[in-house]
Amino acid sequence: MIKEITAQELDAEQFILDKVKEINEAVGDGIAINALSGGVDSSTVTMLGHRALGDRLKTVFIENGLMREGEAEQVASLFRELGVTVDVVDARQEFLTALEGITDPEEKREAITQTFYVEVFGRLVRESEAKYLLQGTILTDVDETVAGIKRQHNVFEQLGIDPEDAFGYRIIEPLIQVRKDGVRKIGQALGLPAEAFERIPFPGPALSARVIGAVTAERIETVRQATVIVEQLLKDTGAFQYMAILHEDRVTGMRDGQRDFGQQIEVRCWDSIDARTATPTKLPFETLERVAREIILKVPGIVSVTYNIASKPPSTIEAI
Ligand code: XMP
């Protein structure tokens, strides 16, 4: 049983001192590696790990082909300014191949997990001789996985999987006792800029969590373009998280006077504190109309845009 540290009771400075000590003790004079996606959790772990290990922590950004527009360059340049070198690893083909032909949500998540931990990280760990992977698993990830709701990509021990047996390296999870609101406090105390610690959450399986049905390079590109619009138009709403989801079923539409049996984008925008429960943001209708208009105008093949007004539970935040 993991003992929760709530954001209210968290003393971020003391937490950082404790974790730096724990990471140092675990890694000794060895090398560790960590994957930075630019999200709050992995950004915070990157800063924590560098404070503990300096250059003995090797930070990589895995370009899995499922990330948002321009994400690799943005993240690498932000961390360069913070004094952290980020190696961008091109693994696009590996992920797309692993996802080929899979439509079941949990099978998709499993394919991502295997590709990430066995193939890509297995290789990186062998090359770098690191024995430890530092990662930003948080308590909400564990809760939902253990409850059997969603297999979060980064949870093992609680499922009875020993990473050392399964992958050949150990995993250190300094954030496992906190939730998103706590991570933000720690990230801020570590000197992350607001654009990093206030960033909306983005899931490990990235845009593949937002494609219902088959994941192909083309369908990822469609949801990527819709994501640019949704994030741009909803960034000042103060919402916890917002996203575009590409549906599998088509609907009849029309374009240039012709029948167009087109695709559908669902928009979700959530109010939440810690992602355990969430309610749809009461967006002004004009905002929703603008989002729909822009998506239909700019994203090829979309003829329908809907807004989800269900709460979590029974919905979950991501569609997959
Ligand atoms: P759900 O969809 O389960 O999402 O209501 C709760 C929060 O977790 C994020 N999420 C993930 N984060 N790995 C992660 O690190 C995952 O596999 C994953 N799946 C969902 C989601 O974006 C939301 O903030």
Side-chain angles (χ1 to χ4, degrees), residues 21 42 64 88 131 148 158 175 178 180 212 227 243 265 267 271 299:
K21 189 159 167 271
S42 71
N64 54 17
V88 178
K131 300 230 168 9
Q158 294 77 15
L175 304 179
V178 293
K180 201 63 98 186
I212 300 176
T227 301
M243 63 194 68
I265 288 285
V267 177
D271 291 336
V299 186

Side-chain angles (χ1 to χ4, degrees), residues 109 144 150 152-154 201 203-205 241 275 312 316-318:
R109 285 176 169 270
E144 296 202 350
K150 253 176 220 197
Q152 306 270 319
H153 78 290
N154 49 5
Q241 195 169 0
K312 172 182 178 175
T316 57
I317 289 183
E318 305 287 347

